[in-house]
């Protein structure tokens, strides 16, 4: 009997203890709820999305905020302004090639060089070791490249398969290098050893000075037509993802349906993309860039769709697109897999197109000498003269051997041609009507 009474008393004590604890917890919960609903929660950093100093707390908000670019008028990095006080833009280039492209890469780099820009040059793993080492030594020993330090030759080369997703992976690798090593560049341009400029860098930078830095020049369409059956539904494997020797992609017998989580876009593999968009693709604070990348890992000719699909499925960027790839390319009608190789007969059409770049060229085609002489003012083996070149020009001296004011631009006729092109692209009837739809 005594044991039973003791047990009842203990149970009553435990019941009162739990009721007291429940009451305390309820009181604290009500107090916190009152604080939150009365607006005091903003002073507690572990509640809500922002702290008391109005800084984002969640990592996605922090990344998005840190990636936003200042307006062109307020940007003063690199201490460089043009004649009107507006900062001269900077371009980040990827120039890529494969076996046998070493000399063509040198020529294209020399034609594109400007000390204010940044360059990643990639000779892929198919090129023999001596060719890749020779190119790396060329970059290291070049008197201007070595002094300025803005040319990065990729030493650990990637294996890049034509039409495969390794081309996209190589592009993203180059962007990551540029974001890590370089300063505050504004646009990214991808070119190959078979591309060549039709205007000087002074022409290009001068014309882009007055252009909003958030624009993305990327040819695109959602009318994928025959590509739905021949590219979107088939599944391919790129051996370059896991092999050390290059071979063509191979096809899987199964087919897949068209995505419903995002809309497919396609277009040219050559583009000029804003730094803010490239940061979005690399950082990926929204998961879409990674999701789309995984989808395009099994997509034939993925460089013609990956960036287009990402940019047109993100509200932040879809209205920043200019539907042009800034290239003169001669295609069959309807287009085949490869464009025509350009020659002297195409020179006038190239010039009249007002495009800043053209492709494809055979190595050392005579038309390249004509472009050097008549459009770029470049002599064999030399850099294209610009406002930054402060050396003497008499007796065959190279004026670019002496580096002057890097932001001094001396635009020529190419600037007027490019301005005509961009003015038309940004006109009311062209710009909005040709954006992502």
């Amino acid at each position: 009997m005594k044991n039973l009474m003791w047990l009842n008393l203990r149970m009553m004590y435990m019941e009162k203890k739990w009721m007291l604890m429940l009451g305390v917890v309820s009181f604290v919960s009500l107090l916190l709820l009152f604080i939150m609903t009365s607006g005091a929660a903003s002073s507690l950093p572990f509640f809500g999305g922002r702290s008391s100093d109005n800084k984002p707390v969640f990592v996605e908000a922090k990344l998005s905020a840190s990636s936003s670019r200042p307006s062109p008028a307020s940007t003063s990095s690199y201490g460089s302004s043009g004649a009107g006080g507006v900062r001269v833009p900077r371009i980040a280039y990827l120039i890529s090639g494969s076996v046998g492209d070493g000399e063509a890469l040198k020529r294209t780099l020399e034609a594109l060089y400007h000390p204010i820009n940044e360059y990643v040059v990639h000779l892929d793993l198919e090129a023999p070791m001596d060719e890749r080492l020779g190119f790396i030594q060329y970059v290291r020993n070049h008197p201007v490249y070595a002094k300025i330090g803005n040319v990065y030759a990729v030493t650990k080369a990637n294996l890049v398969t034509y039409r495969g997703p390794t081309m996209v992976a190589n592009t993203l690798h180059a962007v990551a290098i540029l974001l890590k090593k370089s300063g505050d560049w504004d646009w990214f341009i991808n070119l190959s050893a078979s591309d060549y400029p039709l205007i000087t860098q002074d022409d290009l930078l001068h014309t882009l000075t007055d252009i909003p830095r958030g624009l993305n020049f990327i040819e695109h369409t959602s009318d994928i037509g025959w590509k739905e059956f021949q590219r979107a539904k088939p599944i391919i494997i790129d051996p370059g993802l896991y092999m050390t020797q290059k071979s063509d992609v191979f096809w899987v017998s199964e087919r897949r349906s068209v995505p419903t989580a995002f809309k497919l876009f396609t277009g040219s593999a050559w583009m000029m993309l804003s730094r803010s968009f490239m940061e979005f693709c690399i950082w990926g604070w929204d998961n879409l860039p990674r999701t789309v990348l995984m989808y395009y890992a099994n997509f034939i000719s993925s460089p013609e769709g990956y960036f287009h699909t990402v940019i047109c499925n993100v509200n932040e960027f879809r209205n920043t697109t200019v539907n042009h790839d800034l290239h003169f390319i001669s295609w069959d009608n309807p287009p085949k897999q490869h464009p025509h190789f350009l020659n002297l007969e195409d020179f006038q059409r190239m010039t009249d197109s007002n495009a800043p770049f053209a492709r494809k060229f055979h190595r050392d085609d005579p038309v390249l000498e004509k472009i050097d002489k008549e459009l770029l003012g470049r002599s064999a083996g030399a850099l294209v003269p610009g406002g930054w070149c402060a050396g003497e020009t008499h007796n065959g001296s190279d004026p670019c051997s002496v580096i002057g004011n890097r932001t001094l631009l001396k635009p020529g006729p190419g600037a007027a041609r490019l301005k005509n092109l961009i003015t038309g692209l940004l006109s009311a009837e062209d710009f909005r009507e040709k954006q992502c739809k």
Side-chain angles (χ1 to χ4, degrees):
M1 182 66 68
K2 289 182 180 180
N3 289 339
L4 182 59
M5 290 178 62
W6 181 86
L7 182 60
N8 287 336
L9 289 172
R10 181 173 178 83
M11 290 178 64
M12 291 174 63
Y13 171 76
M14 293 297 295
E15 183 178 356
K16 290 181 179 180
K17 181 179 179 180
W18 281 110
M19 289 180 66
L20 179 62
M21 292 178 64
L22 180 61
V24 172
V25 171
S26 300
F27 174 77
V28 172
S29 300
L30 289 172
L31 177 62
L32 292 177
L33 180 61
F34 172 76
I35 293 173
M36 291 175 67
T37 56
S38 65
S42 60
S43 64
L44 302 175
F46 45 84
F47 290 116
R50 291 186 177 272
S51 62
S52 58
D53 58 357
N54 204 32
K55 293 181 180 179
V57 171
F58 296 126
V59 65
E60 293 87 350
K62 285 183 177 180
L63 289 171
S64 181
S66 65
S67 70
S68 60
R69 311 301 300 160
S71 63
S74 65
T75 305
S76 60
S77 60
Y78 205 73
S80 54
S81 297
V86 179
R87 186 178 69 89
V88 176
R90 303 179 69 193
I91 309 297
Y93 283 96
L94 164 64
I95 312 172
S96 56
S98 189
V99 56
D101 285 336
E103 292 302 315
L105 277 179
K106 293 178 185 178
R107 182 172 193 162
T108 301
L109 176 60
E110 290 165 357
L112 289 167
Y113 185 78
H114 194 286
I116 202 174
N117 293 334
E118 304 287 342
Y119 301 84
V120 167
V121 189
H122 179 260
L123 196 56
D124 89 342
L125 199 58
E126 186 182 29
M129 180 66 73
D130 59 345
E131 185 178 18
R132 287 188 281 119
L133 288 177
F135 186 82
I136 292 171
Q137 289 301 317
Y138 157 77
V139 171
R140 290 177 177 174
N141 296 332
H142 193 283
V144 177
Y145 303 163
K147 184 172 184 179
I148 302 297
N150 61 339
V151 179
Y152 313 113
V154 178
T155 55
K156 189 177 180 180
N158 302 307
L159 191 64
V160 179
T161 306
Y162 172 67
R163 300 191 302 168
T166 41
M167 290 187 69
V168 175
N170 188 61
T171 302
L172 293 173
H173 180 205
V175 175
I177 293 173
L178 290 162
L179 289 173
K180 180 180 180 181
K181 289 192 173 183
S182 70
D184 187 15
W185 49 266
D186 299 282
W187 279 288
F188 168 80
I189 296 177
N190 64 323
L191 299 171
S192 75
S194 60
D195 289 82
Y196 211 68
L198 302 177
I199 63 175
T200 70
Q201 289 301 289
D202 277 21
D203 293 335
L204 179 63
L205 298 175
H206 172 79
T207 307
L208 294 179
T209 297
D210 298 324
I211 304 300
R213 308 295 162 90
L215 290 179
N216 291 276
F217 291 78
I218 178 170
E219 182 189 86
H220 61 278
T221 179
S222 62
D223 183 14
I224 61 176
W226 59 269
K227 292 183 179 181
E228 177 178 336
F229 182 79
Q230 295 191 19
R231 293 187 179 177
K233 291 186 176 181
I235 302 174
I236 61 100
I237 303 296
D238 185 349
L241 294 171
Y242 58 90
M243 301 292 287
T244 57
Q245 298 294 323
K246 184 179 290 190
S247 61
D248 196 10
V249 299
F250 63 87
W251 304 74
V252 178
S253 58
E254 288 79 6
R255 300 174 71 84
R256 58 185 175 184
S257 60
V258 176
T260 58
F262 47 86
K263 188 175 183 179
L264 292 180
F265 286 78
T266 187
S268 172
W270 313 103
M271 57 204 74
M272 183 173 81
L273 301 174
S274 67
R275 176 171 176 142
S276 57
F277 176 65
M278 298 315 296
E279 286 179 331
F280 175 76
C281 292
I282 296 296
W283 283 96
W285 52 86
D286 182 300
N287 202 40
L288 182 68
R290 280 183 290 269
T291 301
V292 176
L293 184 62
M294 294 177 71
Y295 171 79
Y296 274 96
N298 303 113
F299 194 101
I300 193 71
S301 296
S302 53
E304 298 176 6
Y306 172 70
F307 293 104
H308 317 67
T309 297
V310 173
I311 201 168
C312 285
N313 281 273
V314 180
N315 290 333
E316 181 181 351
F317 297 106
R318 65 190 317 272
N319 292 327
T320 66
T321 57
V322 182
N323 206 331
H324 199 281
D325 63 1
L326 301 181
H327 272 70
F328 174 84
I329 306 176
S330 180
W331 294 97
D332 287 307
N333 190 16
K336 296 180 180 179
Q337 182 66 46
H338 299 282
H340 295 292
F341 279 95
L342 302 173
N343 53 43
L344 286 170
E345 295 180 358
D346 300 299
F347 179 80
Q348 193 59 49
R349 290 197 302 138
M350 282 188 277
T351 306
D352 293 342
S353 73
N354 296 330
F357 307 102
R359 72 183 320 269
K360 299 175 64 174
F361 294 95
H362 283 298
R363 300 165 191 163
D364 297 324
D365 191 284
V367 71
L368 295 176
E369 295 182 13
K370 189 175 181 67
I371 293 172
D372 281 343
K373 181 179 179 181
E374 299 188 19
L375 302 183
L376 304 180
R378 173 182 176 270
S379 57
L383 304 179
V384 175
W388 61 277
C389 301
E392 300 292 336
T393 58
H394 62 276
N395 298 328
S397 300
D398 181 6
C400 298
S401 61
V402 180
I403 301 167
N405 182 353
R406 304 181 195 182
T407 64
L408 178 62
L409 303 178
K410 293 183 178 180
R417 297 198 306 271
L418 180 58
K419 184 177 180 179
N420 287 337
L421 173 65
I422 293 181
T423 299
L425 293 173
L426 299 182
S427 63
E429 59 269 23
D430 268 9
F431 182 48
R432 293 299 180 194
E433 288 298 318
K434 295 183 179 180
Q435 288 183 321
C436 305
K437 292 183 180 179

